[in-house]
């Protein structure tokens, strides 16, 4: 209560509005290894005294704070920054105090009367005396000498020189009176993830469709054989839909039909049979040992295997009999299946997170993650997390990342904005989002700008998917091969993290189950598909090229510099990304119309991109390898979607030196 | 830590972003008696269940929460409201739970299969059974009957009617399972002040200049004689500069000269002499008893006396000898005077809030307020609060308002924006601000819009002063009588709270000490002035009229509905205020040019003001009593500053009834 006298009423500095923080520090912010945390704070005191303000930070493995001075910006806002080097948690806070020595020094310079100056020099000596009492031995000795010099009866000029000595100022800044130091009332948390949380290309594939033989059930061994194909395209993550035993009861047939024939494989999301549940492997795919081998071999191809974690059960899941308390029961004694009346999903039993036995349920589910981590998995894609208890996610992800800070969690939360955001706050490393439907349309730049420029970016990392096994957009259905090229260029250059569901994507499979549906016809969710990977019209070379451009250009490996630029044709979209030091600037231009050539004038802010309005610059199309010389901000572009629907320009400033082969950086 | 299992892991509803709150609930919001607190919160759960959400509130004198249901708006935002009736503190928070009965009922309506419906009815009966166990006796009985009806083997239609019975729904909403109820993690605070904190006209006058005789030192008795004059103009607060003994040492002479003659009265802000300090009365003004009599008589005139509290001492203040620890000392043993090198203010000793004896200092200063409250004072204007410890203010005002919730504190914090705001957060009821210099200029509407429309309004109440003894703006210096009329109209209609420093204001005293200075020539701060109150050109009748308009029109008694409207002439400014129910709408038009007639077309948003675009409406100028009929949003206005520089229109809709004398409401 304010009615109590505060413990440290002499501390006159106020620290407030420390940013970044999420829900007032209730949740951590996120960074990846090597990134910077820039901290702003409003810091001020009564009166006119000078302030010293420090940013304190440490990793969870360090007991002592690192300290770095913050600089005043305008309007009582102070700023400091630190870099995070290790995965795990970092902590930061702000501390500040009245710098009496700096105030004294500031005033001294303005004093004009010699009597005044003489008194002020003695005041300064008293300040130094006080610091001597707090200083380490060697510093104390030096400070004592300074105090003597300030007191010496010599000419004022020599004393003034002493007063302004920068070594003295530095020593004095080290020994503030700790009784008068204000410390911000919270320690804020950064969760530091591996770089893959920020930058990665994902490829989703059904392992059962990986057989080289048409009509055969794919195996982990088939997946191993598929690795070179996926790795060669430049992907970083191979995400597999669930690999567990599939239920028989109420199993769905092809195209989600209510009855399955004996040979129908069922949906891998109907998890569990008498062979086992979330800790077991579907026998037709292989053994646990073979799965471990796949994970290890993938890593040799620089591919992480992402597991799909779908916390739901088929009626045949062992949990149903072993833990009836984890499910809701109907008055007739049957287990409550998933439903959205009048629709029923009788092949799926959801967990009851209001169960009286919730503590054992949580422990068991957390254990599922831990089990697969023991098999070598580091990356998890979580199915529909927004239909499970948010408190469970926060608890489970917090604990797992405490022990395995390299682990990553992608939330498949295609849901309402605040729910989507809350899951990111609660701990998910990355989030699916509205990208599949959001581009192309007129709101797209606003949406991407919100994702990458608002405070939301402190905790939510978007992963952009043009398609998923559940989402075949109308745009892809009607736009032909060009539409897939357009959507791919957008996803891979707008998002440092993106993913495709393949081979449906590179083979531009675009037949919907029925008109108006976003479901695939003959979806792999319910049947095994055979894909002709080496069809001449496959997009694999296009994908490979763009993934190489991503790897070679650091500008595309971050999202926070994304900026949209004006084009005078709504069918064209133009944006740039750059490194902070502007040594790598990528300008992307995409024709959103998959049918017609479109052209227009674009307007780029030269100053923001560090370009000189008076000199020409080169734009090097990394897709076509063509180079153009541009002058000024306004430039003409034309794109034929039947050839290549995008330019991915690297901007090169003119460098007037023979060292550079083509005179452009 | 998140690594602990939360105590109540079964509670699936999330409550976040509860608004209003200041610094995440660290500080209270403010209201006046009778006002409403509208609370927004983001509330959601996993899955598709229905939610019930309640706003809880209570005054500090109530142990039990009042509860009111919140309504869902869009995007998972819920809203509720409550009214505050008493001065003092109110508390509020939000609570929510999954409404299983509502989910059940929602689903039931959508079920189509009769077997399904039969099972669902039994499920419903089980939900009712559970509520029976939590219900009060009479409700339990009713619920039991409902459960029986749901189970009865009759026709489904009768059972469905039972299921949809509104009494059942209401009973069920009353008995949520308390184990599953989420309560927001903070209780937020409202400080409720008397209406005067929101709406009041202030008049500042130096008591020593109140004598009816030129050249005489005014007394409290003279002030009493002056009350009818001030009350007749319609003011609510009479604010007196400090009334304490004035120091002799280093006393300032007229126009802030460094030497004073024997007969110079000195600055009342140089507080303290051998006769006493902050608890004493300057002998030439009268006695403490006479002061009490003034306070009481003023109240009979519906005027509150506002005391000036300036926590600083003249060198002669008894504190200097009695409490040397409360001041800084220079190395020569002298007390440190106020200074801003090379400027010195040797007549003023500031308190040292870093004093080791700070606890006694705080207690003493808090006691100053309490002493004057005992003498009958309720309103305090605090001099330069931004040069005293912020923690002190929060502590002292919190304690005083705890015992005297009717007390009010106006912060004279002409300082940087974040400092000004922090003092308001820390407890000041009202704040001086940038109004004196801010209008007229092009930024003014933005500034007033920020004050009245941003989240800042939850804790900061502006009090608008066109002049103070320290501020005679250039605009007033050069604009003549019209400039004073313009500034007055703006202050009194833009601000529900405003003040003037008189009689300098109504007599449009506009001579600066020197060119370029904002100080008054022959300022009352350093000398006694005699004012010819009944000069024929005094603005007192104009002031009286506008104060009467303020009292008669509730639209002008609040700030939150302020809206600026477009005019096609920058010399004209147009804005409106209205009551929430739009029964009182005031449209103000001011010519900011004190020299020339200005005219223009204004554009008012008819829909926002509840006016019908198809019908004419009347604008009734409450200043001139002229009435005009306007059609549509675009209207012509012309104002001659030499006559009256403003219109204060009341908008009257056409009422087609004989009951209304002039057909307009």
């Amino acid at each position: 209560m304010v009615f109590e006298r505060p413990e440290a009423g002499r501390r006159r500095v106020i620290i407030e509005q420390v940013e970044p923080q999420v829900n007032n520090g209730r949740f951590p912010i996120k960074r990846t290894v090597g990134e910077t945390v820039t901290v702003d704070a409003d810091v001020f005191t009564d009166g006119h005294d000078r302030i010293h303000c420090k940013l304190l930070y440490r990793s969870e493995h360090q007991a002592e704070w690192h300290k770095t001075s913050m600089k005043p910006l305008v309007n009582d806002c102070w700023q400091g920054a630190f870099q995070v080097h290790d995965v795990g948690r970092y902590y930061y806070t702000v501390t500040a105090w009245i710098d009496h020595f700096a105030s004294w020094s500031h005033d001294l310079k303005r004093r004009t009367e010699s009597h005044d100056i003489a008194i002020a020099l003695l005041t300064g000596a008293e300040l130094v005396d006080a610091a001597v009492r707090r200083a380490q031995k060697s510093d104390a000795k030096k400070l004592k000498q300074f105090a003597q010099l300030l007191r010496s009866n010599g000419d004022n000029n020599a004393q003034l020189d002493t007063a302004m000595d920068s070594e003295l100022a530095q020593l004095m800044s080290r020994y503030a009176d700790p009784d008068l130091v204000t410390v911000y009332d919270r320690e804020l948390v950064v969760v530091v993830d591996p770089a893959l949380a920020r930058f990665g290309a994902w490829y989703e594939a059904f392992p059962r469709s990986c057989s080289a033989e048409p009509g055969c059930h794919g195996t982990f061994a088939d997946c191993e054989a598929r690795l070179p194909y996926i790795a060669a395209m430049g992907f970083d993550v191979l995400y597999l839909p669930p690999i567990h035993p599939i239920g028989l009861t109420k199993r769905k047939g092809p195209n989600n039909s209510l009855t399955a024939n004996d040979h129908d494989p069922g949906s891998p999301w109907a998890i569990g049979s008498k062979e086992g549940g979330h800790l077991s492997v579907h026998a037709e795919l292989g053994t646990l040992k073979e799965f471990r081998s796949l994970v290890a071999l993938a890593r040799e191809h620089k591919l992480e295997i992402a597991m799909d974690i779908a916390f739901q059960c088929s009626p045949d899941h062992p949990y149903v009999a072993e833990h009836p308390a984890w499910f809701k029961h109907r008055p007739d004694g049957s287990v409550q299946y998933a439903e959205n009346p009048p629709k029923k999903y009788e092949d799926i039993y959801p967990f009851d997170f209001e169960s009286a036995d919730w503590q054992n349920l949580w422990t068991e589910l957390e254990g599922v993650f831990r089990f697969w981590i023991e098999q070598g998995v580091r990356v998890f894609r979580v199915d529909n997390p927004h239909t499970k208890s948010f408190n469970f996610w926060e608890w489970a992800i917090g604990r797992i990342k405490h022990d395995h800070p390299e682990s990553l969690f992608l939330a498949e939360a295609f849901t309402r904005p605040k729910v989507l955001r809350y899951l990111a706050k609660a701990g998910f490393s990355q989030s699916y989002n509205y990208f599949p439907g959001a581009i192309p349309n007129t709101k797209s730049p606003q949406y991407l700008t919100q994702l990458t420029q608002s405070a939301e970016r402190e905790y939510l990392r978007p992963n952009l998917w043009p398609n998923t096994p559940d989402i075949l957009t109308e745009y892809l259905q009607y736009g032909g091969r060009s539409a897939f090229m357009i959507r791919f260029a957008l996803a891979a250059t707008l998002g440092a993290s993106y993913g495709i569901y393949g081979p449906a994507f590179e083979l531009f499979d675009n037949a919907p189950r029925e008109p108006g549906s976003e479901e695939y016809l003959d979806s792999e969710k319910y049947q095994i598909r055979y894909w002709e990977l080496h069809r001449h019209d496959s997009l694999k070379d296009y994908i490979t090229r763009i993934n190489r451009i991503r790897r070679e250009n650091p500008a595309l490996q971050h999202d926070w510099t994304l900026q949209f630029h004006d084009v005078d044709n709504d069918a064209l979209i133009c944006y740039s990304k750059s490194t902070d030091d502007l040594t790598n600037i990528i300008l992307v231009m995409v024709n959103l119309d998959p049918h017609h050539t479109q052209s227009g004038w674009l307007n780029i802010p030269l100053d923001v991109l560090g370009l000189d309005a008076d000199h020409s610059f080169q734009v090097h199309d990394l897709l076509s390898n063509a180079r153009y010389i541009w002058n000024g901000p306004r430039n003409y572009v034309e794109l034929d979607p039947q050839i290549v629907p995008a330019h991915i320009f690297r901007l090169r400033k003119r460098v007037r030196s023979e060292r550079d082969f083509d005179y452009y950086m």
Side-chain angles (χ1 to χ4, degrees), chain A:
Chain A
M1 279 308 285
V2 294
F3 309 132
E4 302 292 317
R5 204 179 329 238
E7 210 181 301
R10 296 168 67 211
R11 296 181 186 163
R12 287 167 45 213
V13 179
I14 300 296
I15 303 172
E16 61 166 1
Q17 311 293 355
V18 175
E19 297 289 346
Q21 50 179 298
V22 181
N23 283 32
N24 205 51
R26 162 80 173 76
F27 299 105
I29 64 163
K30 296 193 179 88
R31 289 293 185 276
T32 58
V33 170
E35 283 192 301
T36 295
V37 180
T38 300
V39 177
D40 288 326
D42 288 351
V43 185
F44 47 82
T45 184
D46 58 275
H48 305 286
D49 282 313
R50 307 275 125 176
I51 284 173
H52 198 98
C53 186
K54 277 202 190 313
L55 172 61
L56 272 51
Y57 64 96
R58 63 183 179 86
S59 90
E60 60 185 323
H61 307 296
Q62 297 164 329
E64 294 290 313
W65 291 109
H66 295 270
K67 296 179 186 180
T68 176
S69 287
M70 299 178 77
K71 289 204 167 62
L73 307 177
V74 292
N75 197 13
D76 292 309
C77 181
W78 293 66
Q79 189 172 79
F82 65 98
Q83 223 186 355
V84 291
H85 300 290
D86 306 306
V87 293
R89 291 187 164 225
Y90 276 68
Y91 301 94
Y92 61 100
T93 194
V94 173
T95 179
W97 58 88
I98 291 173
D99 189 337
H100 286 295
F101 186 79
S103 302
W104 169 81
S105 160
H106 171 266
D107 284 355
L108 184 64
K109 287 176 203 150
R110 279 153 190 80
R111 292 185 192 280
T112 49
E113 295 173 31
S114 65
H115 172 71
D116 239 28
I117 292 171
I119 296 265
L121 286 166
L122 294 175
T123 304
E126 289 180 0
L127 290 171
V128 177
D129 293 344
V132 166
R133 292 190 287 275
R134 295 186 289 266
Q136 290 177 339
K137 220 171 186 181
S138 61
D139 288 345
K141 200 175 152 188
K142 281 186 208 157
L143 284 166
K144 259 186 203 163
Q145 288 165 350
F146 277 115
Q148 267 168 6
L149 286 169
L150 289 172
R151 284 202 175 86
S152 65
N153 284 323
D155 69 315
N156 267 0
N157 283 342
Q159 288 168 300
L160 283 173
D161 285 348
T162 301
M164 300 306 155
D165 192 305
S166 65
E167 192 191 358
L168 174 59
Q170 214 163 14
L171 282 169
M172 288 299 289
S173 80
R174 228 174 272 166
Y175 298 106
D177 182 350
D179 286 350
L180 302 181
V181 173
T182 300
V183 181
Y184 185 60
D185 60 5
R186 277 183 293 286
E187 289 183 12
L188 300 162
V189 183
V190 195
V191 163
V192 182
D193 294 313
L196 185 59
R198 172 179 43 77
F199 173 59
W202 291 50
Y203 186 85
E204 174 174 5
F206 283 77
R208 68 189 184 189
S209 296
C210 281
S211 170
E213 295 290 313
C216 283
H217 194 290
T219 64
F220 293 137
D222 294 326
C223 293
E224 291 193 358
R226 181 68 57 90
L227 290 174
Y229 168 80
I230 299 166
M233 283 191 283
F235 286 98
D236 305 292
V237 178
L238 168 56
Y239 147 44
L240 309 179
I243 58 168
H244 313 300
I246 296 170
L248 272 170
T249 305
K250 303 278 180 184
R251 176 179 283 192
K252 297 286 175 72
N255 290 304
N256 201 24
S257 58
L258 287 178
T259 50
N261 291 320
D262 285 349
H263 58 272
D264 288 332
S267 162
W269 283 276
I271 295 170
S273 75
K274 63 177 193 287
E275 293 159 17
H278 286 78
L279 306 185
S280 301
V281 160
H282 188 59
E284 289 180 85
L285 289 171
T287 64
L288 193 57
K289 193 179 159 197
E290 284 162 344
F291 176 72
R292 282 197 299 264
S293 154
L294 170 62
V295 172
L297 186 65
R299 201 160 284 147
E300 286 178 28
H301 283 88
K302 300 205 187 314
L303 277 166
E304 285 294 323
I305 295 291
M307 283 279 288
D308 193 319
I309 299 291
F311 283 142
Q312 57 193 19
C313 298
S314 101
D316 309 320
H317 197 297
Y319 287 158
V320 177
E322 291 166 18
H323 298 284
W326 294 354
F327 303 90
K328 277 195 175 156
H329 289 77
R330 304 167 84 208
D332 63 359
S334 65
V335 176
Q336 178 65 60
Y337 46 81
E339 58 171 356
N340 185 12
K343 285 192 202 162
K344 302 176 178 187
Y345 309 95
E346 294 179 84
D347 58 334
I348 299 293
Y349 290 174
F351 290 111
D352 175 14
F353 282 86
E354 288 179 356
S355 166
D357 195 36
W358 64 277
Q359 291 175 309
N360 287 321
L361 173 64
W362 283 26
T363 303
E364 175 71 20
L365 299 183
E366 188 211 353
V368 171
F369 287 106
R370 293 189 183 269
F371 176 84
W372 292 105
I373 288 173
E374 279 163 30
Q375 314 312 315
V377 175
R378 293 176 191 161
V379 183
F380 298 94
R381 176 269 194 194
V382 176
D383 190 75
N384 279 337
H386 54 294
T387 61
K388 286 97 196 172
S389 157
F390 301 128
N391 291 326
F392 164 72
W393 293 123
E394 186 180 5
W395 173 82
I397 296 176
R399 279 167 59 93
I400 295 162
K401 284 193 70 78
H402 177 259
D403 298 337
H404 305 283
E406 73 288 354
S407 59
L408 294 180
F409 300 82
L410 167 62
E412 188 229 15
F414 288 115
T415 177
R416 307 187 307 282
K418 287 173 184 171
V419 176
L420 194 160
R421 283 190 210 122
Y422 192 83
L423 286 160
K425 292 178 187 177
F428 282 93
S429 322
Q430 295 193 338
S431 308
Y432 284 70
N433 48 69
Y434 310 128
F435 174 79
I439 284 198
N441 77 34
T442 52
K443 292 266 177 65
S444 319
Q446 286 98 306
Y447 179 57
L448 269 294
T449 299
Q450 182 205 311
L451 282 176
T452 60
Q453 308 304 317
S454 78
E456 177 175 334
R457 70 185 190 179
E458 298 291 346
Y459 61 86
L460 188 146
R461 297 192 192 100
N463 193 329
L464 308 185
W465 289 70
N467 75 330
T468 77
D470 299 313
I471 308 178
L472 173 67
T473 60
E474 208 172 47
Y475 183 82
L476 292 179
Q477 291 175 31
Y478 291 98
R481 187 174 183 268
S482 301
F484 284 77
M485 294 176 76
I486 291 166
R487 302 282 300 151
F488 186 82
L490 290 168
T493 58
L494 284 169
S497 294
Y498 81 96
I500 57 170
Y501 152 54
F505 193 91
E506 64 264 31
L507 299 178
F508 44 96
D509 183 21
N510 65 355
R513 186 188 299 164
E514 64 218 2
S517 166
E518 289 205 335
E519 291 281 341
Y520 278 90
L521 178 68
D522 299 332
S523 168
E524 287 185 284
K525 292 196 290 184
Y526 312 104
Q527 67 194 75
I528 295 168
R529 290 279 296 270
Y530 172 78
W531 301 100
E532 283 183 58
L533 298 183
H534 299 288
R535 240 167 55 191
H536 75 283
D537 57 354
S538 165
L539 294 173
K540 72 178 158 48
D541 293 340
Y542 176 75
I543 290 169
T544 305
R545 181 152 203 120
I546 291 183
N547 276 337
R548 204 178 65 219
I549 293 169
R550 284 167 48 90
R551 287 190 178 174
E552 289 172 355
N553 288 278
L556 294 174
Q557 298 169 14
H558 297 257
D559 284 336
W560 289 18
T561 61
L562 178 65
Q563 284 188 74
F564 289 87
H565 305 301
D566 288 340
V567 200
D568 64 358
N569 177 346
D570 282 351
L572 297 172
I573 190 168
C574 178
Y575 47 90
S576 65
K577 284 183 165 187
S578 53
T579 52
D580 288 337
D581 61 4
L582 298 179
T583 54
N584 187 245
I585 305 173
I586 297 293
L587 183 77
V588 182
M589 189 85 200
V590 183
N591 178 0
L592 302 177
D593 176 352
H595 306 293
H596 309 100
T597 298
Q598 295 282 355
S599 63
W601 289 86
L602 71 97
N603 214 329
I604 51 175
L606 298 180
D607 51 339
V608 176
L609 298 175
L611 296 168
D612 187 347
D614 298 333
H615 292 104
S616 62
F617 55 98
Q618 200 190 70
V619 295
H620 175 192
D621 188 351
L622 304 173
L623 267 177
S624 68
N625 210 24
R627 290 165 193 250
Y628 310 86
I629 301 297
W630 282 3
N631 281 288
R634 223 169 116 75
N635 293 281
Y636 178 80
V637 179
E638 184 179 294
L639 284 164
D640 178 351
Q642 302 311 318
I643 305 172
V644 183
H647 289 305
I648 304 179
F649 291 126
R650 175 158 181 210
L651 267 54
R652 294 168 184 270
K653 292 175 228 183
R654 188 181 282 271
V655 179
R656 300 194 170 278
S657 145
E658 296 296 325
R659 285 178 309 171
D660 192 273
F661 174 72
D662 58 8
Y663 299 90
Y664 289 92
M665 160 186 109

